[in-house]
């Protein structure tokens, strides 16, 4: 599995956890992880798919 696919899968799981209504501490942890994943996706995106728009939330 490519790094891009792995990151997108992790992001999808974290967004599902966020929608489930976690507590304040867990929400902060999830948001921090999502920020790291978004940064990694921005770094990987142009190399994997030139001209593609970065995914944002």
């Amino acid at each position: 599995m490519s790094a891009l696919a792995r990151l997108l899968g992790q992001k999808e799981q974290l967004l599902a956890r966020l929608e489930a209504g976690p507590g304040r501490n867990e929400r902060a942890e999830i948001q921090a992880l999502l920020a790291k994943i978004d940064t990694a996706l921005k770094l990987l995106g142009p190399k994997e798919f030139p001209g593609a728009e970065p995914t944002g939330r």
Side-chain angles (χ1 to χ4, degrees), residues 19-43:
E19 289 178 7
R24 184 172 34 160
N25 290 338
E26 187 179 4
R27 175 177 290 279
E29 180 182 334
I30 291 169
Q31 289 173 331
L33 290 170
L34 283 169
K36 288 181 181 182
I37 289 172
D38 283 341
T39 298
L41 287 171
K42 287 176 186 175
L43 292 172

Side-chain angles (χ1 to χ4, degrees), residues 2-8 36-54:
S2 75
L4 184 64
R6 183 178 52 80
L7 288 168
L8 289 172
K36 288 181 181 182
I37 289 172
D38 283 341
T39 298
L41 287 171
K42 287 176 186 175
L43 292 172
L44 285 175
K47 294 176 189 171
E48 297 273 339
F49 302 102
E53 292 291 322

Side-chain angles (χ1 to χ4, degrees), residues 8-23:
L8 289 172
Q10 289 175 347
K11 183 174 180 174
E12 185 176 323
Q13 289 176 347
L14 289 170
L15 288 172
R17 284 176 54 193
L18 201 56
E19 289 178 7

